[in-house]
Amino acid sequence: MLRTFSVRDGHLHVEEDAPTGSLPLGALWLDLQSPSAQEESAVERLVGLDIPTRAEAAAIGESARLYVEDGALVMTAAVVAGVSEGKRPVAADVTFVLTSSLLVTVRDADPLPFRAFVQKCRREPAVREMPETVFLALVETIIDRAAALLDGAQVDLERVSAEAFADADRKGRRRAIDPRVLVKRLGRINALVARLRESLLGLGRMLAFFRQNAAAALPESALRRLASMEGDVRALAEFDAQLSNELSFVLEALFGLTNAEQNRIIRVFTIASVLFLPPTLVGTVYGMNFEAMPELKWVFGYPMALGLMVASAVLPYWLFRRSGWL
């Protein structure tokens, strides 16, 4: 699919389908989403450049992510997608081709920032002054989305932490939790944080490349926006690293709590087996079928055996309590 964004009479116009002969008047941005071969060829004829598709960029490797071709900047960065649809987050590569008169984006996924950016273009006329400002505003929308996702990941992590480390009630009982559920939730948070880390790294490199090659032609307002975006990327990268450390701590603490709970249960069963072992021994002795057992003919033989069983259980319990094992 190809969408053409152009500005005419101060208004933003969005057109579907690929132009066949020439670009619309005032065209600023061509957005290619999972383009067909015909759409790609049409845009390459109009722009006069080879537009790298996702497969072509993957075949070239890292060297194809940031370079200059015939005066145009070709930049590729990962953008987190799939979160708003409830799917597993993925880092989808988006290629930005920036010429002196046009911005071209090539992508296979449909991240939320691209859908939200159209409304931003309509609300803010300064965004659509030139291709460079469109590029900066689009990347800014991607950064804002990354910040929102990191905030959401922090809230989810705090909820998991609160459930894992919940205090006992007044009776000293802890609310039963399923560690498997919490570990799965931590895994989903970690997947999102990892994808965001990859995206922020690529965005930071792309902005540095853009500053090096295109900052001279930018107005002062765009330079201030660029500097602010670079600071935001650095701050979000630090925030992402902090969340990763907190994730590791909560996961290790959760495993520690699970092991402690298992050890407590094993200790209870071990003490119970030790307490019942002496009474079992007494009962086994008096369950023998020997004729020469004087206690069999005693009137108080049965009460004596029961008392001996009770005493043999109480004595180890008292010793355990005295030693602080219970």
Side-chain angles (χ1 to χ4, degrees), residues 100-121:
S100 58
S101 60
L102 194 66
L103 171 66
V104 181
T105 55
V106 185
R107 55 194 173 94
D108 290 335
D110 188 22
L112 182 61
F114 280 80
R115 302 195 296 270
F117 181 68
V118 178
Q119 298 303 322
K120 184 174 184 177
C121 281

Side-chain angles (χ1 to χ4, degrees), residues 42-312:
V43 172
E44 288 178 344
R45 287 196 305 269
L46 294 172
V47 179
L49 290 172
D50 180 25
I51 304 297
T53 61
R54 178 72 182 89
E56 293 171 346
I60 300 175
E62 287 295 323
S63 61
R65 302 190 79 84
L66 300 170
Y67 62 92
V68 181
E69 181 179 352
D70 296 333
L73 305 184
V74 182
M75 301 165 284
T76 302
V79 179
V80 176
V83 181
S84 58
E85 293 81 9
K87 303 176 183 178
R88 184 176 180 85
V90 296
D93 282 342
V94 178
T95 299
F96 302 85
V97 180
L98 183 63
T99 70
S100 58
S101 60
L102 194 66
L103 171 66
V104 181
T105 55
V106 185
R107 55 194 173 94
D108 290 335
D110 188 22
L112 182 61
F114 280 80
R115 302 195 296 270
F117 181 68
V118 178
Q119 298 303 322
K120 184 174 184 177
C121 281
R122 297 186 188 278
R123 293 192 309 266
E124 303 179 22
V127 167
R128 49 182 191 258
E129 290 180 352
M130 52 195 300
E132 289 83 358
T133 57
V134 175
F135 167 77
L136 287 177
L138 179 56
V139 175
E140 186 179 43
T141 305
I142 296 173
I143 295 173
D144 291 342
R145 176 59 175 168
L149 291 175
L150 281 175
D151 289 338
Q154 183 185 33
V155 172
D156 292 340
L157 179 58
E158 289 176 352
R159 291 174 179 169
V160 174
S161 179
E163 294 182 24
F165 307 128
D167 294 331
D169 57 18
R170 294 182 178 179
K171 296 182 179 180
R173 296 175 300 185
R174 289 181 53 86
R175 187 169 61 88
I177 58 174
D178 189 348
R180 295 172 300 177
V181 175
L182 296 184
V183 170
K184 288 182 179 179
R185 290 169 60 183
L186 288 175
R188 288 192 293 268
I189 298 173
N190 183 72
L192 175 58
V193 171
R195 300 290 83 75
L196 288 172
R197 186 184 312 117
E198 178 183 353
S199 176
L200 290 171
L201 177 62
L203 291 173
R205 294 180 62 236
M206 184 174 68
L207 289 177
F209 179 81
F210 175 78
R211 173 181 286 279
Q212 180 181 0
N213 293 276
L218 294 178
E220 186 63 28
S221 58
L223 287 174
R224 290 195 298 268
R225 170 172 277 182
L226 174 59
S228 175
M229 291 164 55
E230 289 175 325
D232 290 341
V233 169
R234 288 192 295 269
L236 290 175
E238 294 176 0
F239 185 29
D240 187 282
Q242 177 184 344
L243 279 182
S244 297
N245 293 334
E246 293 181 6
L247 273 167
S248 299
F249 168 77
V250 173
L251 184 61
E252 292 176 3
L254 183 60
F255 285 145
L257 289 174
T258 303
N259 291 334
E261 185 67 16
Q262 292 176 345
N263 291 337
R264 187 187 68 84
I265 295 173
I266 293 174
R267 185 181 64 175
V268 170
F269 279 105
T270 302
I271 293 175
S273 62
V274 171
L275 293 179
F276 282 101
L277 183 59
T280 303
L281 178 60
V282 174
T284 303
V285 170
Y286 285 104
M288 298 178 182
N289 296 320
F290 292 110
E291 293 185 0
M293 294 183 69
E295 296 87 348
L296 294 179
K297 298 181 180 180
W298 290 359
V299 176
F300 297 102
Y302 178 66
M304 183 203 69
L306 294 179
L308 188 58
M309 291 181 186
V310 173
S312 63

